[in-house]
Amino acid sequence: EVQLVESGGGSVQAGGSLRLSCGVSGDTMTMYYMAWFRQPPGKEREGVAGIWSYPSGAPNYADSVKGRFTISQDSGQSTLYLQMDSLKPEDTATYYCARCSVWGRWCPLQSGEYDHWGQGTLVTVSA
């Protein structure tokens, strides 16, 4: 059974940066669409960014994070990353990594399309 474990969350001031990591074990991440989601306090979970290892394609970002966040992956290390720069208070949320439920296809940033999730890591951005 695949397991996803996030790390790297924490508290930062507005304008700062954090790098989240998601370690994947128990199964491959190759040819699965991988994504980051977030859930702000009291709000619904939303898609942040997605990426597909093969064939390599342009990552997909939510409009709210374009130009500030960068998703990447190291398939050899089975790790997914999310570099977050120019953080804003509205980025405060629990961040989750997820694997698409279907092998070998692109997945939209909709939570119903993903069937494996990490436990989440909290990011707090203060003004």
Side-chain angles (χ1 to χ4, degrees):
E1 178 71 13
V2 63
Q3 291 187 323
L4 288 69
V5 179
E6 302 95 338
S7 61
S11 297
V12 64
Q13 289 189 327
S17 298
L18 282 174
R19 189 193 196 200
L20 305 183
S21 300
C22 172
V24 180
S25 62
D27 197 1
T28 183
M29 58 186 286
T30 303
M31 285 297 290
Y32 278 98
Y33 199 84
M34 301 294 297
W36 287 95
F37 287 76
R38 68 185 181 186
Q39 187 164 15
K43 297 184 179 180
E44 294 187 353
R45 192 171 299 186
E46 60 184 14
V48 174
I51 193 168
W52 196 3
S53 62
Y54 180 81
S56 59
N60 183 27
Y61 295 98
D63 289 342
S64 58
V65 306
K66 280 181 182 177
R68 301 188 299 120
F69 290 11
T70 303
I71 187 172
S72 62
Q73 61 186 340
D74 183 339
S75 296
Q77 297 295 323
S78 296
T79 305
L80 182 72
Y81 300 100
L82 185 68
Q83 177 67 42
M84 306 186 295
D85 299 318
S86 302
L87 282 161
K88 304 175 180 180
E90 51 263 43
D91 294 318
T92 294
T94 298
Y95 284 73
Y96 302 87
C97 64
R99 194 182 80 169
C100 179
S101 61
V102 179
W103 180 88
R105 77 164 177 91
W106 183 89
C107 272
L109 294 176
Q110 298 170 4
S111 58
E113 301 286 338
Y114 298 78
D115 62 353
H116 286 89
W117 296 82
Q119 82 290 349
T121 186
L122 179 63
V123 172
T124 303
V125 185
S126 58

